[in-house]
């Protein structure tokens, strides 16, 4: 099997609006509005049929002056199959990484070290679905202690939701950049071949 991934921009790109034949001044207004909506929201990306070997994640620009932030891997009912919260300094024992799950109630919490975020720098979080657990990497390096055994069936993961990271006081918020999503694993299909190549 081959593993593929695709990166999906969370913010709206100019090319999207150009394809709609929107006048330039309206296009700029639409882009500005879409950026405000994304910055003030909790981005969500749907996934289907997660299997062992899949990887998914996101990139964002870090700010040290925010509320806690993180991601949830959720089922179709919004239950947290895996939640990773990055608690900032001064937030309930922070800075620390906290992992858990929740269906009807919270499970047993697991804690690990806080990643080496740099204020104003982009970072990438990648979640790998291993045989019996989720393993999280920060900028391509596995985070020590950030492994979470499956408490629910992996195939039930239906979405990755980013949350939190609002600016505190005059501080900057987390800026969500992109999702990295798995593409269905499959062997090449002769019907998918391009005869011109």
């Amino acid at each position: 099997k081959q593993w593929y991934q695709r990166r999906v921009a969370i913010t709206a790109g100019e090319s999207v609006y150009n394809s709609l034949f929107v006048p330039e001044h309206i296009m700029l207004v639409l882009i500005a509005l879409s950026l405000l909506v994304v910055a003030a929201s909790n981005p969500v990306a749907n996934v289907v049929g997660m299997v062992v070997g899949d990887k998914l994640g996101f990139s964002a620009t870090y700010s040290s002056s925010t509320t806690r932030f993180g991601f949830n891997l959720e089922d179709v009912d919004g239950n947290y199959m895996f939640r990773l919260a990055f608690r900032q300094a001064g937030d309930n024992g922070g800075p620390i990484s906290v992992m858990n799950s929740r269906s009807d109630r919270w499970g047993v919490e697991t804690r690990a070290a806080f990643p080496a975020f740099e204020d104003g720098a982009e970072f990438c979080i990648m979640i790998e679905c291993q045989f019996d657990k989720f393993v999280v990497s920060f900028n391509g390096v596995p985070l020590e202690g950030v492994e979470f055994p499956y408490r629910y069936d992996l195939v039930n993961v239906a979405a990755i939701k980013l949350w939190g990271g609002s600016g505190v006081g005059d501080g900057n918020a987390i800026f969500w950049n992109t999702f990295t999503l798995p593409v269905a694993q499959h062997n090449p299909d002769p019907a998918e071949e391009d005869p011109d190549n």
Side-chain angles (χ1 to χ4, degrees), residues 28-140:
L28 294 175
V29 171
L30 290 173
I31 291 172
L33 288 174
S34 66
L35 291 176
L36 288 174
V37 169
V38 169
S41 68
N42 294 322
V44 176
N46 295 324
V47 294
V48 177
M50 296 286 295
V51 296
V52 171
D54 278 347
K55 295 180 184 179
L56 70 162
F58 63 93
S59 67
T61 303
Y62 178 70
S63 172
S64 60
S65 57
T66 69
T67 59
R68 70 178 67 169
F69 65 96
F71 68 85
N72 301 333
L73 296 183
E74 300 181 359
D75 66 13
V76 295
D77 296 322
N79 296 310
Y80 304 159
M81 300 182 68
F82 176 37
R83 175 184 178 97
L84 177 57
F86 297 111
R87 293 185 183 170
Q88 303 273 38
D91 176 11
N92 195 16
I96 196 154
S97 301
V98 180
M99 295 161 283
N100 210 337
S101 63
R102 186 184 79 194
S103 184
D104 294 329
R105 61 179 184 226
W106 286 106
V108 176
E109 190 174 272
T110 304
R111 293 178 174 228
F114 195 72
F117 292 111
E118 293 181 34
D119 209 25
E122 183 175 71
F123 65 92
C124 178
I125 296 293
M126 189 64 63
I127 305 115
E128 181 179 355
C129 303
Q130 293 188 352
F131 177 72
D132 58 349
K133 63 190 169 195
F134 297 108
V135 175
V136 179
S137 296
F138 172 75
N139 292 337

